Amino acid sequence: MSAVLDHHDHHAHDDHHAPTGWRRWVFATNHKDIGTLYLLFAFTMLMVGGVLALLIRAELFQPGLQVVNPELFNQLTTMHGLIMVFGAIMPAFVGFANWMVPLQIGAADMAFARMNNFSFWLMIPAALMLVGSFFMPGGAPAAGWTLYAPLTLQMGPSMDAGIFAMHILGASSIMGSINIIVTILNMRAPGMTLMKMPLFCWTWLITAYLLIAVMPVLAGAITMTLTDRHFGTTFFNPAGGGDPVMYQHIFWFFGHPEVYIMILPAFGIISAIVPAFARKKLFGYASMVYATASIAILSFIVWAHHMYTTGMPVTGQLFFMYATMLISVPTGVKIFNWLATMWKGSMTFESPMLWAVGFIFVFTMGGFTGLILSMAPVDIQLQDTYYVVAHFHYVLVAGSLFAMFAGIYYWLPKWTGRMYKEGRGKLHFWWSMISFNITFFPMHFLGLAGMPRRYADYPMQFADFNMIATIGAFGFGLAQVYFFFFVALPAMRGQGEKAPQKPWEGAEGLEWEVPSPAPFHTFETPPKLDATATKVIG
């Protein structure tokens, strides 16, 4: 028994020395290191996806074919979508979860440390396979990021690489989700009930359940595509009794919860930042939790609003129309709660708050265009036009991405132990906000005028707005390069003034109870909490 105890003491002593060099990262089991890896991977993929987007915009700068041929154009639109969704947005939020969930609930680490490592490293070969498909015979998949049959049945070998990459990324997502659920349900500090958890943990708990529910559905759809391509099945081939529209049903049953997977963690980040800089408690905490759960549940019954033009009966259109309108109610509850939190608060506008307020403004615009698209008669006119492109970029860029920047500016001092220069954060915000709107706002008008998406060319009447959008897009891309070199890199290198333990006056939560930068091991003994479960006693 004493030998066991000795061994245990020795082990505990060893743990305080963080491994160094490449081993620290390759064999990482520490939630902070893995969180960092996820965030760096996501930013890399954001840059790759961004380059593809700028090639798309360069082609659309003027009518006619300038930069790429139509085949390559379709490959670019497809890969831009897949890389941004599965390579940038989702891994970044998993990175946030890895970093912040254990800190916010007072856990020593994630529940399954080695599985955590595995779920990260799975993404590297998947990403290489996805990006590498450009160099395969016939080029990358060009069926659109939704991978609709029958196009996918006619693609070259890169389609199989794409399907395999999606399977691996899906497996990674499911493992990450299991880890997050078990960590949140089993490893909270004593006294932190579920209803005292920070909202970021709540949004991720619900997101993780969504991921586990829908990633296998996507896996099913792309596996059926694979067997149609190589094994003689005809799931989506009408010649053998199949139906391409069935693919759309299966895909969007995954695809609609997926859009909430990409926005719920963003809601959690904003719900942490707004109260901190309004110096007030979050208004309506319980209603925020119920609203998040409602959004998740409703997300399963709205999928066919993506399919109003596939010959759906009018009763079907009506059901999906009303269900989609209904989902705007809990989303509206969140917006009103953030506004009520700000109301009469003593607000200051440091970078995190600027991004949060910017998020609320632009995300609400994206929400309204979504409400417009929910109406079947309107959607039939706008289906597959640039109006839809504008809508989902307002939700995914001005939604997910802006919330991530808010979270990075908010927690970066805790991660790196350094304060960034406030002026640079503000410059990054205004530069991004203005160029984003210059890029995507004109697309609403292009869509209303009938410009279809995923076309490499367009008639003369769309030229002016396309030129404006392209100029905005290059400005927006440049802003993110500026962020990396002048905000993120200096902080990672330990430049800038030392961050205090709690850099933001109104911030609450256990993550502000540990030093900055957060030590390699935190909360080895569970913290004793005060009544609000936001501070450590003793």
Side-chain angles (χ1 to χ4, degrees), residues 297-357:
I297 293 160
L298 289 171
S299 74
F300 285 102
I301 59 163
V302 297
W303 79 90
H305 66 207
H306 298 267
M307 299 172 55
Y308 287 141
T309 52
T310 53
M312 194 191 303
V314 174
T315 40
Q317 291 185 6
L318 273 174
F319 169 79
F320 285 106
M321 183 165 108
Y322 290 138
T324 307
M325 290 177 173
L326 190 62
I327 214 164
S328 67
V329 176
T331 315
V333 167
K334 289 181 167 299
I335 305 281
F336 284 123
N337 280 11
W338 292 322
L339 294 178
T341 307
M342 289 190 256
W343 181 252
K344 292 192 172 171
S346 48
M347 289 208 288
T348 53
F349 292 96
E350 289 90 339
S351 299
M353 187 60 162
L354 272 183
W355 282 100
V357 174

